[in-house]
Amino acid sequence: MTAETIETTQNAVRGSARSGKRRPQIIPALLTVAVITAMTAASELLNDPEIIFPEIAALAVGYLCAPKRSWQVTSARMFLLIAGCALLGLLISLYFPGYLYAKVLFAFVIAQVVFLFSGTSLAPLISAVVLPVLIGTKVISYLISAAAMTALIIALRHLLVRQGYRREEPFTPVARPGKARWSSMFIRTAVAAVLLAPAVFAGWRYIAAPPLLVAFTELSENWKPESPLKPWRVIALLTGGALIGAGTRFLLTMTLGLPLTLSAAVAASLILAVLYRTRLFMPPAGAITILAMLIPEGAVALYPLQAGLGICVYMFASVLMEMQRRIGN
């Protein structure tokens, strides 16, 4: 999500507020909560956690809730990229040999190459590849859920456009990668390789949570000092999302014994309230919130700390990369 997109989105939200159109903004938020609730309910009813695809929350934030679309992408490309990358991630998880560290790093590199040549700025495709490898997915329900939920998000987007809640936006294909973007990719890979060591070998897996890798890709590609997304805001949004997801699950499901579906619905509502209040529609904040519903119960307590440490490193690296680009120019 570029600085220009964020600024345009903020202006659109302010314009709606000034013109008294607050109520229509509720419709995309309600649809987003409904999609996340339905996905989690299906997971509980079928006793299949692999149905929970956290990046659906990111797609909903960027494609339904943000007044301006968060990525240069078409609906057809979004579906093909997410479904194709989910299949790719599942195949790597099933058939790529070697230790988990090598598998996850390989998945991250492959995902970045797909991203660079996709002709889009749809960074969430990286999570579609990396997530099944990181958590060891072996079942096709992951692929079915990712494809079906993405199709649902696309259908809802077109419904919102027809009803006047969102507008059609032109698609400008992203140019093929040049030397600068390849250089950024290699730096991202080096940073990820360092953080994957404690993630895999020390059990602090969520330092390298896929939504954080998506955020790192977006930040390292687009972040500028003049962006409304100041470093402290990025850290607060993503750490806050992890806190909301983990705290809601711990209180409602692990402590009170209420359904995980309720935890997911409440967590989605809370993170959307934060995004609307701050006018910073950063899609990975939604995904990092809902990922808390998928992780093992034993990991919930330390999940926000791990996510917070991870995004601090990724944000710092993104700032350094932008400084290096400016010095080079």
Side-chain angles (χ1 to χ4, degrees), residues 122-309:
L122 188 69
L125 66 84
I126 292 170
S127 182
V129 180
V130 175
L131 178 64
V133 182
L134 186 67
I135 65 176
T137 297
K138 304 294 183 184
V139 294
I140 199 171
S141 56
Y142 167 77
L143 172 59
I144 295 171
S145 177
M149 290 292 110
T150 301
L152 178 57
I153 292 294
I154 290 168
L156 291 174
R157 166 78 182 191
H158 287 286
L159 176 63
L160 290 175
V161 169
R162 284 201 302 271
Q163 296 300 317
Y165 292 108
R166 292 291 174 262
R167 62 182 179 84
E168 291 283 3
E169 297 178 50
F171 168 64
T172 304
V174 177
R176 295 216 168 203
K179 181 179 178 181
R181 294 190 72 201
W182 280 112
S183 176
S184 294
M185 185 197 119
F186 288 126
I187 294 173
R188 283 195 296 271
T189 301
V191 173
V194 171
L195 283 193
L196 277 173
V200 173
F201 299 118
W204 281 54
R205 193 157 293 187
Y206 306 106
I207 288 178
L212 300 184
L213 297 176
V214 171
F216 183 31
T217 300
E218 293 181 339
L219 291 166
S220 61
E221 289 267 315
N222 303 308
W223 186 84
K224 300 289 185 290
E226 58 271 18
S227 169
L229 272 177
K230 302 304 180 187
W232 68 268
R233 287 186 171 185
V234 173
I235 293 169
L237 271 178
L238 291 173
T239 305
L243 276 168
I244 287 171
T248 304
R249 181 180 176 186
F250 179 81
L251 177 62
L252 297 181
T253 300
M254 295 170 60
T255 302
L256 298 179
L258 297 173
L260 185 66
T261 301
L262 179 62
S263 296
V266 172
S269 301
L270 290 175
I271 192 60
L272 286 175
V274 171
L275 297 180
Y276 275 100
R277 182 70 180 86
T278 60
R279 304 190 184 100
L280 295 172
F281 291 88
M282 191 176 185
I288 200 71
T289 302
I290 301 305
L291 179 58
M293 307 300 148
L294 178 60
I295 64 177
E297 283 193 357
V300 169
L302 290 178
Y303 177 66
L305 175 60
Q306 294 181 36
L309 289 174

